[in-house]
């Protein structure tokens, strides 16, 4: 039995969640949306995943940022947050209303 996944199944796992902050919320007015993505995802895969997740929209530009882990303290315990990767995606066409209503 083959354990290889199809390209479409791989695209579903690329975008983890949207990142909603004051800065990203203001960028939404310019058609830029911020998502947490898989660390191994390329810009082309991110663009394909966004276009598949939000049909009818065209991705104009993808910028990626590596977010390193940082020290965190809860009470007397010290630890580190997980490192992650985020993508700032510029969309052409209609705005994504699904993210604003969250």
């Amino acid at each position: 039995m083959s354990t290889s996944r199809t390209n479409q199944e791989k695209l579903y796992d690329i975008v983890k969640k949207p990142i909603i902050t004051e800065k990203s919320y203001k960028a939404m007015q310019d058609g830029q949306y911020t998502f947490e993505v898989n660390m191994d995802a390329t810009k082309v895969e991110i663009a394909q995943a966004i276009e598949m997740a939000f049909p009818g929209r065209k991705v104009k530009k993808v910028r990626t940022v590596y977010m390193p882990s940082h020290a965190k303290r809860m009470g007397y315990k010290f630890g580190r947050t997980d490192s992650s990767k985020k993508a700032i995606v510029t969309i052409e066409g209609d705005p994504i209303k699904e993210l604003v209503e969250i």
Side-chain angles (χ1 to χ4, degrees):
M1 178 182 256
S2 175
T3 60
S4 66
R5 297 171 20 183
T6 64
N7 190 29
Q8 188 173 10
E9 290 175 347
K10 185 180 176 187
L11 291 177
Y12 278 119
D13 294 334
I14 288 178
V15 178
K16 294 181 181 179
K17 63 181 181 179
I19 298 175
I20 307 294
T21 61
E22 289 181 21
K23 186 176 181 179
S24 68
Y25 194 79
K26 186 171 182 174
M28 285 183 194
Q29 296 172 354
D30 299 329
Q32 295 179 345
Y33 298 89
T34 308
F35 298 95
E36 184 178 339
V37 295
N38 193 338
M39 290 284 283
D40 300 329
T42 64
K43 290 182 178 186
V44 173
E45 291 173 339
I46 293 168
Q48 291 173 351
I50 295 296
E51 288 176 355
M52 188 174 68
F54 302 104
R57 273 79 169 207
K58 181 77 175 150
V59 174
K60 185 176 180 182
K61 184 197 255 185
V62 177
R63 294 181 292 160
T64 58
V65 180
Y66 172 73
M67 303 298 293
S69 66
H70 60 275
K72 188 170 185 177
R73 180 178 151 191
M74 292 189 68
Y76 61 89
K77 295 188 179 197
F78 291 89
R80 295 195 72 80
T81 61
D82 291 334
S83 59
S84 61
K85 184 176 185 179
K86 72 178 179 179
I88 302 163
V89 181
T90 305
I91 302 284
E92 289 180 342
D94 297 331
I96 301 174
K97 302 243 187 252
E98 295 89 0
L99 294 181
V100 178
E101 297 171 357
I102 292 177

